[in-house]
Amino acid sequence: MAIANRYNLVMSAPISTKVFTLALVTNLLGMSIYYDPTFAQVGEYCQFEREAIATKENLRNAVFQDTSKSRNLEATKEYQAIIKEHSQSLNTCRQKSWLKTQGIWLRLYPCDLLSGKLDEVMDRIVNKGYNQVFIEVLSDGKILLPLSENATAWNSLVLSEKYKNADLLKLAIAKGQERGIKVHAWIFTLNVGTGYGRGIDRNGLSKSTVARQNAIARNANGDSTISIVENLGKNSAGEVPTKDQLFVDPYNYQAQSDLYLAVNEVVKRKPDGVAFDYVRYKRGAGAASVVSNVRYLWIYGASSLQAFRDRAENFQGREIINRFLKQGYVTPNDLKFVKKLYPQETEPLWQGRQPSDQSGQKEPAIAYWQKELWQLAVGHAFIGVTYYLDTVSKPVFQQKIPASIAFFSDGNQPVGEGFDSRMQPWHLFTSSYEWQPMAYAVCGRSDCIVNQVLRAANYAPSGTKIAPILVGQWNEPFTNRPSLEVQMQAIRSAVPAITSISHFAFGWQTQEIEFSRSRQICKL
């Protein structure tokens, strides 16, 4: 009987579907275990029942642990059949559900190369009704590319010579797609990790070049994003500063070309999509989570400084910009000096400024110029991020692969007299990308979470796909947030057009914590 005819689906609320388990499972001892066909009820979130999960798990164990060739071949056939059945069941359920796409964010480990381990990871993802997974490809200064093929600025995640040809990303994509999961590559952008440029490349040359050192983002004191944020306490979101985050200067050509190459290698593996994360600057800790002086912006790398100065449209403008960058402010005397230095020019000009009518003023309105220069600095920081993103994402669009951006909906706004130090200009992102607002607000209810989603939806250009990212647990509150079900239903009520939501992260879910730890600590 064709698999398509084996389902009698009646989709309502709750949505249900019938999944026939396989009649025969071969166990490790060579004994045949017979199962009567059972019905695996798939609810509104398309999660499978325990019986169907157990049947699939037993078959998987038989395939990857049984040493008997004849029994293994039989179990393999049965296992592949149930994978296909569950894939079709999940797809049918999602088609009938308001939530067409339910995603999960996943970190892989070297031990996932062990026989059957990736199969187990993907089976668990399907069991919970997920039909999309975001696989962390570039983070913590490491990249998910084979050691033998890695020509990027990052070391491979798997460094074992025994597995130097193992392509964990390509394998994960295949395992996910086999189960009906859309597999997206999840890439850190401006946060390249402290491993950036460390080690030796395939030609035996050091990756730590002068050009890469110059690619690191810096403030006016020459600090990088790993040298001043420690011991400053938590930021406004309660986050503790980390030592493994290193951000680059988005105007720097070396930084752009390094990530471009990495993205190009990733798209060769043909993922179903590419998600860009950390499309922003680092958020400082303590008081530094808000920035109100240009000297504390991460725009003092050589390339960024040059681009800033080049925004001047006359000599007065260039000189006053230089003084603003050096001092963090300008004074009436600065304005008088540049006027005397370049008397042929009426006033300082730069991109975006129109000449002002200052006739009748005896003294320059210094507050006006301070505001103008600060807005120029914020705009310069914003434009750098968007330009960098558009540059490194080119291989994705060239291959017509969907691209998305994860962002904080409150990361682009003024805070008091200053600005959120993340300087995340998501309001400038185009509808070419799917928008993924990280709705991580904490208030004990869904209200604040929904408000973050609404803020993104209100700014989004017409036609923009919006797919919020949530944190939480199934069936229970977590860290002063409602359960995932409650959060999702609240979003559905507030923004009915949203049909795609993802959860962060697989390793954080209560049922997967122990499993994820075992994958992390084992040795190849």
Side-chain angles (χ1 to χ4, degrees):
M1 182 185 296
I3 291 179
N5 295 326
R6 295 174 65 180
Y7 298 96
N8 180 19
L9 298 172
V10 181
M11 294 299 175
S12 59
I15 300 166
S16 62
T17 183
K18 295 179 180 179
V19 180
F20 287 96
T21 60
L22 300 168
L24 177 65
V25 177
T26 307
N27 70 4
L28 297 180
L29 299 176
M31 298 170 61
S32 295
I33 302 176
Y34 290 90
Y35 286 87
D36 291 328
T38 60
F39 296 107
Q41 294 300 318
V42 180
E44 186 171 6
Y45 299 103
C46 302
Q47 298 180 344
F48 288 83
E49 285 286 339
R50 291 181 181 179
E51 292 84 355
I53 294 173
T55 300
K56 184 165 59 178
E57 185 174 353
N58 288 335
L59 279 168
R60 186 183 61 249
N61 289 336
V63 170
F64 293 105
Q65 297 179 23
D66 198 334
T67 57
S68 169
K69 185 176 181 180
S70 60
R71 290 197 298 270
N72 185 275
L73 288 174
E74 187 175 5
T76 298
K77 183 179 178 181
E78 297 291 320
Y79 179 50
Q80 290 174 342
I82 199 172
I83 285 176
K84 187 175 182 180
E85 289 187 5
H86 282 199
S87 171
Q88 294 192 353
S89 174
L90 178 59
N91 179 58
T92 302
C93 182
R94 284 285 159 220
Q95 287 179 352
K96 300 294 183 180
S97 172
W98 69 271
L99 189 60
K100 305 302 181 188
T101 304
Q102 182 175 280
I104 190 74
W105 298 74
L106 173 70
R107 170 175 286 186
L108 296 181
Y109 302 99
C111 287
D112 289 326
L113 286 171
L114 296 176
S115 180
K117 189 56 65 177
L118 263 182
D119 294 87
E120 184 175 6
V121 172
M122 294 301 174
D123 282 350
R124 285 173 177 253
I125 287 173
V126 169
N127 293 342
K128 290 189 175 182
Y130 294 108
N131 62 340
Q132 181 186 56
V133 62
F134 297 89
I135 294 180
E136 193 175 45
V137 171
L138 178 61
S139 70
D140 293 344
K142 295 180 181 178
I143 193 166
L144 204 61
L145 291 176
L147 182 62
S148 61
E149 299 180 28
N150 182 14
T152 72
W154 296 268
N155 289 332
S156 297
L157 174 69
V158 181
L159 296 174
S160 168
E161 274 294 318
K162 180 180 178 181
Y163 292 93
K164 67 179 181 179
N165 297 319
D167 197 327
L168 189 51
L169 174 58
K170 187 176 181 179
L171 186 61
I173 292 171
K175 296 290 186 182
Q177 292 175 342
E178 181 184 16
R179 290 161 173 79
I181 302 171
K182 296 291 186 181
V183 183
H184 293 233
W186 164 24
I187 297 177
F188 286 17
T189 49
L190 283 173
N191 176 17
V192 296
T194 54
Y196 174 66
R198 288 183 179 176
I200 305 298
D201 65 20
R202 287 193 294 167
N203 298 317
L205 301 176
S206 172
K207 294 181 179 180
S208 183
T209 62
V210 172
R212 288 203 175 102
Q213 293 303 308
N214 290 338
I216 296 171
R218 299 188 184 279
N219 64 15
N221 296 322
D223 298 306
S224 73
T225 52
I226 61 172
S227 57
I228 70 166
V229 297
E230 299 305 317
N231 302 319
L232 291 179
K234 297 181 179 181
N235 59 36
S236 57
E239 299 169 338
V240 178
T242 59
K243 298 179 180 180
D244 57 358
Q245 295 184 353
L246 180 65
F247 287 67
V248 290
D249 176 356
Y251 286 94
N252 182 272
Y253 175 76
Q254 183 70 53
Q256 295 166 11
S257 59
D258 280 338
L259 191 60
Y260 181 97
L261 173 61
V263 172
N264 195 52
E265 289 299 309
V266 168
V267 299
K268 288 179 182 178
R269 273 71 184 173
K270 298 182 178 179
D272 294 298
V274 175
F276 293 96
D277 196 1
Y278 283 95
V279 191
R280 60 176 175 86
Y281 299 90
K282 187 180 181 75
R283 175 160 58 180
S289 61
V290 176
V291 59
S292 58
N293 189 295
V294 66
R295 289 178 56 82
Y296 294 103
L297 291 179
W298 301 109
I299 60 171
Y300 283 80
S303 299
S304 187
L305 277 180
Q306 185 62 49
F308 198 151
R309 293 177 178 127
D310 288 345
R311 296 193 185 281
E313 293 188 339
N314 64 3
F315 291 111
Q316 282 194 24
R318 191 173 186 87
E319 180 62 26
I320 207 71
I321 284 175
N322 280 332
R323 288 169 176 254
F324 177 67
L325 286 168
K326 183 177 181 180
Q327 300 167 173
Y329 56 87
V330 291
T331 66
N333 286 336
D334 291 325
L335 292 170
K336 291 178 181 178
F337 179 83
V338 299
K339 177 64 176 175
K340 185 179 296 185
L341 193 61
Y342 302 106
Q344 73 278 16
E345 298 175 352
T346 305
E347 63 180 292
L349 293 177
W350 48 78
Q351 293 172 4
R353 274 212 75 237
Q354 297 297 323
S356 57
D357 181 9
Q358 296 192 33
S359 59
Q361 285 188 234
K362 294 182 179 180
E363 295 291 335
I366 197 63
Y368 165 81
W369 289 103
Q370 283 287 148
K371 181 180 178 181
E372 288 285 298
L373 286 162
W374 173 242
Q375 289 178 344
L376 177 66
V378 170
H380 175 73
F382 275 174
I383 292 170
V385 174
T386 57
Y387 177 72
Y388 180 79
L389 173 66
D390 290 342
T391 299
V392 302
S393 64
K394 285 180 181 178
V396 181
F397 290 104
Q398 287 169 354
Q399 295 300 317
K400 302 187 185 309
I401 295 174
S404 59
I405 310 172
F407 61 87
F408 290 104
S409 64
D410 57 349
N412 67 335
Q413 61 185 349
V415 181
E417 297 297 317
F419 218 91
D420 189 301
S421 59
R422 291 170 294 188
M423 307 294 289
Q424 185 159 50
W426 59 264
H427 57 287
L428 300 179
F429 299 156
T430 70
S431 59
S432 300
Y433 300 90
E434 181 178 69
W435 287 22
Q436 296 177 299
M438 293 179 278
Y440 295 171
V442 178
C443 63
R445 306 181 310 278
S446 297
D447 308 37
C448 52
I449 294 168
V450 169
N451 286 340
Q452 289 188 332
V453 176
L454 283 171
R455 186 166 191 264
N458 290 336
Y459 272 98
S462 177
T464 304
K465 293 181 179 179
I466 299 177
I469 309 172
L470 306 178
V471 171
Q473 298 290 342
W474 290 103
N475 307 313
E476 61 181 357
F478 176 72
T479 59
N480 205 26
R481 297 180 179 93
S483 69
L484 289 172
E485 297 95 324
V486 171
Q487 292 183 51
M488 289 190 286
Q489 288 297 343
I491 290 172
R492 181 189 183 188
S493 298
V495 194
I498 289 178
T499 60
S500 178
I501 293 175
S502 65
H503 302 154
F504 193 87
F506 179 79
W508 288 10
Q509 294 190 347
T510 302
Q511 295 177 334
E512 308 300 347
I513 291 176
E514 185 176 344
F515 174 63
S516 296
R517 284 175 179 168
S518 69
R519 293 165 48 228
Q520 184 177 3
I521 63 176
C522 85
K523 302 296 182 183
L524 282 178

